[in-house]
């Protein structure tokens, strides 16, 4: 109700995806003509020069991170679906225990509020993969960029999203992405990610396996991901927002 009162009073509403726009229309009952979709964009620094190899090793050593690893970065809340990611990783790791490259595959989870979501640690314990999973809290920007770039794959199996900046950040760093087949995430990643059903542990595992073990698919995901990121620029976002501000200001000046 609080959100609806604000939406009703607003002259215009800016939303980050058409999926969220539809939610605002159907849940808050706001007229479609009042809502504008303007996409966010990853920080341009993610698309900058490749991280220096020596710096990358220093940062990973500081956090005692070993190669190879799959990365998740984001808040750790129920809708982020991290326990299913843990379960899918466990299935994958057990199947790769004799693999020459991935037998020591790890999962690195970067995110806050872990203590408020004990289901994540329970999933790790039940799957018996405690030594293979690392939990990190907040990390500085340059450190996060290193984690993205050094990961074998980035996994983002959310149950609900408004858009999906984290997968775009990973793509900008040249990392293959596995993401949920949600409308909002598809708006962000297009066909440049391995799309999976977030409700199905074995489909998440399939997506991880495809991104790791299919060399042609892996190379395509890396190239397509970098191209997809170019569709989102903060300059475009700012220009569109400014245009709406001007429209609203002009409308108010005529009243």
């Amino acid at each position: 109700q609080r959100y609806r009162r604000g939406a009703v009073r607003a002259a215009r509403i800016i939303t980050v995806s058409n999926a969220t726009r539809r939610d605002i229309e159907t849940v808050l009952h706001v007229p479609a003509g009042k809502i504008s979709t303007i996409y966010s964009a990853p920080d341009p620094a993610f698309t900058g020069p490749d991280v220096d190899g020596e710096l990358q090793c220093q940062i990973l050593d500081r956090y005692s991170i070993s190669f190879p690893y799959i990365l998740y970065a984001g808040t750790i809340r129920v809708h982020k679906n991290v326990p299913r990611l843990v379960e899918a990783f466990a299935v994958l790791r057990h199947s790769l225990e004799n693999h020459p490259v991935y037998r020591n595959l790890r999962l690195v989870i970067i995110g806050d509020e872990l203590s408020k979501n004990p289901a994540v640690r329970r999933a790790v314990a039940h799957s018996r993969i405690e030594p293979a999973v690392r939990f990190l809290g907040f990390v500085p920007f340059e450190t996060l960029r290193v984690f993205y770039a050094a990961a074998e794959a980035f996994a983002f199996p959310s149950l609900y999203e408004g858009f999906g900046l984290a997968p775009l950040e990973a793509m900008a760093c040249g990392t293959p992405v596995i993401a949920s087949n949600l409308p909002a995430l598809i708006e962000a990643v297009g066909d440049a990610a391995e799309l999976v059903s977030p409700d199905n542990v074995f489909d998440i595992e399939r997506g991880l396996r495809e991104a790791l073990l299919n060399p042609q698919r892996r190379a395509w995901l890396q190239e397509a991901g970098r191209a997809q990121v170019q569709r989102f620029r903060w300059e475009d976002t700012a220009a569109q927002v400014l245009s709406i501000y001007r429209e609203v200001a002009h409308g108010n000046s005529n009243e």
Side-chain angles (χ1 to χ4, degrees):
Q1 289 301 317
R2 184 174 69 253
Y3 280 122
R4 188 175 189 282
R5 286 195 297 270
V8 168
R9 289 197 303 268
R12 291 285 290 276
I13 296 171
I14 298 172
T15 185
V16 293
S17 69
N18 289 322
T20 301
R21 178 177 184 154
R22 289 189 293 271
D23 289 343
I24 293 171
E25 290 178 39
T26 57
V27 177
L28 301 183
H29 307 294
V30 174
K34 196 175 179 178
I35 311 170
S36 297
T37 298
I38 301 178
Y39 292 120
S40 300
D43 190 310
F46 284 113
T47 60
D50 291 341
V51 178
D52 176 74
E54 184 176 345
L55 174 63
Q56 178 173 291
C57 290
Q58 289 175 357
I59 290 177
L60 294 177
D61 285 345
R62 186 186 311 157
Y63 286 87
S64 300
I65 299 298
S66 302
F67 297 103
Y69 66 88
I70 293 168
L71 177 67
Y72 166 85
T75 57
I76 300 178
R77 298 175 184 168
V78 173
H79 70 279
K80 294 296 186 177
N81 206 28
V82 179
R84 280 202 185 98
L85 171 58
V86 169
E87 293 168 8
F89 170 75
V91 174
L92 176 65
R93 195 175 193 280
H94 290 321
S95 72
L96 297 176
E97 60 185 358
N98 294 317
H99 193 276
V101 176
Y102 294 121
R103 62 179 179 273
N104 292 319
L105 186 67
R106 290 167 172 80
L107 175 63
V108 175
I109 298 174
I110 297 176
D112 58 2
E113 300 189 351
L114 178 62
S115 61
K116 297 180 181 178
N117 292 275
V120 178
R121 287 198 183 277
R122 283 201 300 269
V124 173
H126 291 166
S127 301
R128 299 180 180 178
I129 53 169
E130 290 97 328
V133 181
R134 284 292 310 279
F135 292 102
L136 304 177
F138 171 82
V139 298
F141 176 86
E142 187 59 36
T143 300
L144 177 60
R145 186 168 173 238
V146 166
F147 274 106
Y148 276 135
E152 292 294 304
F154 179 75
F156 203 72
S158 291
L159 297 168
Y160 180 86
E161 288 294 330
F163 181 52
L165 271 181
L168 289 176
E169 292 170 352
M171 287 179 171
C173 295
T175 302
V177 169
I178 300 93
S180 299
N181 57 2
L182 305 177
L185 279 174
I186 292 174
E187 283 185 66
V189 303
D191 62 355
E194 190 68 35
L195 298 176
V196 299
S197 170
D199 298 312
N200 189 320
V201 168
F202 295 101
D203 198 43
I204 298 172
E205 188 268 346
R206 176 201 59 77
L208 295 172
R209 176 181 293 275
E210 190 71 9
L212 293 180
L213 301 181
N214 183 332
Q216 292 79 20
R217 179 62 172 166
R218 179 177 178 80
W220 187 90
L221 288 171
Q222 290 173 307
E223 182 178 353
R226 288 189 186 275
Q228 179 70 10
V229 171
Q230 300 306 313
R231 297 182 57 239
F232 303 96
R233 300 172 62 250
W234 277 118
E235 292 85 352
D236 297 336
T237 301
Q240 293 172 56
V241 171
L242 180 58
S243 176
I244 289 178
Y245 284 177
R246 285 172 171 158
E247 289 176 21
V248 173
H250 179 72
N252 288 342
S253 67
N254 290 337
E255 291 178 359

